[in-house]
Amino acid sequence: MQAMTPPAGSRPSTRRACRARAALLLLLLLLLLLLLLLLAAPLASAHAPEPATAVPALGWSLEPWVLACLGASLLLYLAGLLRLWRKAGAGRGVGMRRAASFGAGWLALVLALVSPLDALGGYLFSAHMVQHEVLMILAAPLLVIGRPLAVWTWALPAPWRMRTTRLVRQPALAAAWEVLTCAPVAWALHGLALWAWHLPLFFEAALRSQAVHSLQHASFLATALLFWWPPLAGASRAGHGGSMLYLFTTMVHTGALGALLTFSTVPWYPAYGTATPALGFDLLEDQRLGGLIMWVPAGLAYLVVALVAAARLLQGETVRAAPGAMPPR
C-alpha cells in the first residue's frame, strides 16, 4: 500500500496525536518491563515440570483458516500483479524485486505457520523462538517490501478498486494510518507485544489455548509489519538517521530480553518440561538456546538494516557535498 496522506490541515493535529499515543505506549512498555522483572522468577518457581512424555509425532499444521488466508493472499497478489503488468507493462508499478520479496515473505509465513516448525514450537521453547523470529524479522520485512496491499487492490474489479481507493483516502482512515506508521508508535506497539507475550503468564496461556496462541502470532505479525514500515517503506518520512536510532534501540531492548532468558537460572515456562527431556533437551538449556536465538539472529537483522540506512545517509551527505550537486528531492 502506498502511504496515505491526510489533508494538509490535519497534519499538526495528527502529529500531536502521534506523540501523545507514543508517550502513552512507551509508558505502558516500561511498566510491562518492570512487571516482567518482578514476576518472571516467582511465576517460574511456582510450577514444577511434569514428567517427560514420549517423543512427539510432528507433522504439518493444516488449520483451515490459516491455509485459507495464505491461499487467498497469494491468489490475490498474483491476480493483481498480472492485471497491473498487463496495463502498465511487466515490471512496472511493482518491480520484479518487490514481487520476489512478497513471494519470499509468503514462503516464510508457510514455514512459520504450516510446516512442522509450528508443531515443534509446542514442545520446545527454542523452536517457538525460531517460529517467532521467522514471522517478525523474515516474513514481515519481506512482505512490507513487496507492498501487497497496493497489489491486492488491482485484483479487484475496476468499480470495487475505485471504491477502495476512495475509502482509504478518507481523512479518518488516512489519519489512523499516519499514526500507526509513525515511527514512535510502531516501535512502541511492536516492543509492547514482544515483551508482554513473553511474560510467563501470557506465554503459557498461549501454550494451553489455541485461540490465545493464534492471537499471539497475529499480534507479532501485525506489529512487526507496522514496525518495518517506517525504515523500509516510509524512509523518506522517518529519515535514515531516525531509522538507525529506531533499529538500534529495538536491537537493544530485544537483546535485553534475550539476555534475560539466556542467563536466567530458573525456567520461565515450566510447561515445556513435559516434552523437552524426550527431545534431548534440558528445560533450562532449551530456554537459553531460545534466548540466544532472540538475542543474536534478531540483533543481526536489525543491525544489517541499520547499516543500510547508514550507508544511504552517508551517500546522501556525499551527494550534497559534491560541487555543483543538485539538492536532494
Side-chain angles (χ1 to χ4, degrees):
M1 173 186 259
Q2 301 297 328
M4 295 181 289
T5 305
S10 67
R11 281 188 177 274
S13 60
T14 300
R15 289 172 181 167
R16 284 195 296 271
C18 176
R19 287 193 292 269
R21 286 171 173 78
L24 177 59
L25 289 168
L26 287 171
L27 177 60
L28 289 173
L29 179 58
L30 291 174
L31 290 175
L32 280 171
L33 295 183
L34 179 60
L35 184 63
L36 172 64
L37 295 175
L38 292 175
L39 295 183
L43 283 173
S45 60
H47 302 272
E50 300 175 15
T53 61
V55 177
L58 303 175
W60 290 76
S61 299
L62 303 177
E63 291 190 40
W65 73 273
V66 174
L67 295 177
C69 289
L70 287 171
S73 66
L74 182 61
L75 291 175
L76 283 173
Y77 195 91
L78 291 175
L81 193 65
L82 291 174
R83 180 174 289 175
L84 174 62
W85 283 355
R86 278 200 304 268
K87 184 176 180 65
R92 298 291 186 90
V94 173
M96 299 289 185
R97 289 183 180 179
R98 288 195 183 278
S101 178
F102 174 83
W106 187 87
L107 289 174
L109 288 180
V110 172
L111 172 63
L113 301 176
V114 181
S115 79
L117 177 63
D118 180 56
L120 187 60
Y123 296 97
L124 287 178
F125 174 72
S126 53
H128 212 156
M129 287 303 95
V130 172
Q131 184 183 28
H132 292 171
E133 298 310 318
V134 169
L135 284 173
M136 293 186 290
I137 66 171
L138 187 59
L142 288 171
L143 292 174
V144 167
I145 293 171
R147 301 290 180 90
L149 296 180
V151 178
W152 286 338
T153 59
W154 277 92
L156 302 174
W160 293 13
R161 188 163 65 246
M162 294 175 63
R163 292 191 192 102
T164 302
T165 302
R166 287 196 297 268
L167 177 64
V168 299
R169 288 178 179 173
Q170 292 293 318
L173 278 179
W177 179 256
E178 186 87 4
V179 169
L180 288 173
T181 57
C182 174
V185 173
W187 183 94
L189 285 173
H190 187 51
L192 183 63
L194 188 69
W195 281 83
W197 277 114
H198 284 88
L199 287 169
L201 178 65
F202 297 142
F203 199 98
E204 293 207 327
L207 294 176
R208 292 190 299 267
S209 167
Q210 184 58 44
V212 177
H213 194 204
S214 299
L215 177 62
Q216 181 192 56
H217 285 173
S219 63
F220 279 152
L221 180 60
T223 60
L225 290 169
L226 291 174
F227 171 83
W228 286 108
W229 181 272
L232 296 180
S236 60
R237 189 178 71 182
H240 297 307
S243 294
M244 290 168 57
L245 178 63
Y246 180 84
L247 292 160
F248 175 75
T249 52
T250 302
M251 182 176 67
V252 169
H253 81 72
T254 56
L257 179 55
L260 286 172
L261 288 162
T262 301
F263 294 114
S264 176
T265 58
V266 293
W268 287 19
Y269 315 114
Y272 280 112
T274 303
T276 49
L279 290 168
F281 282 83
D282 174 80
L283 190 58
L284 271 178
E285 289 176 349
D286 181 40
Q287 178 176 298
R288 288 166 181 164
L289 178 58
L292 284 172
I293 289 169
M294 177 184 290
W295 190 355
V296 179
L300 286 175
Y302 299 130
L303 180 61
V304 167
V305 181
L307 289 175
V308 171
R312 289 177 177 174
L313 178 65
L314 292 174
Q315 185 179 30
E317 292 293 339
T318 302
V319 169
R320 285 195 291 272
M326 294 294 291
R329 295 186 178 182

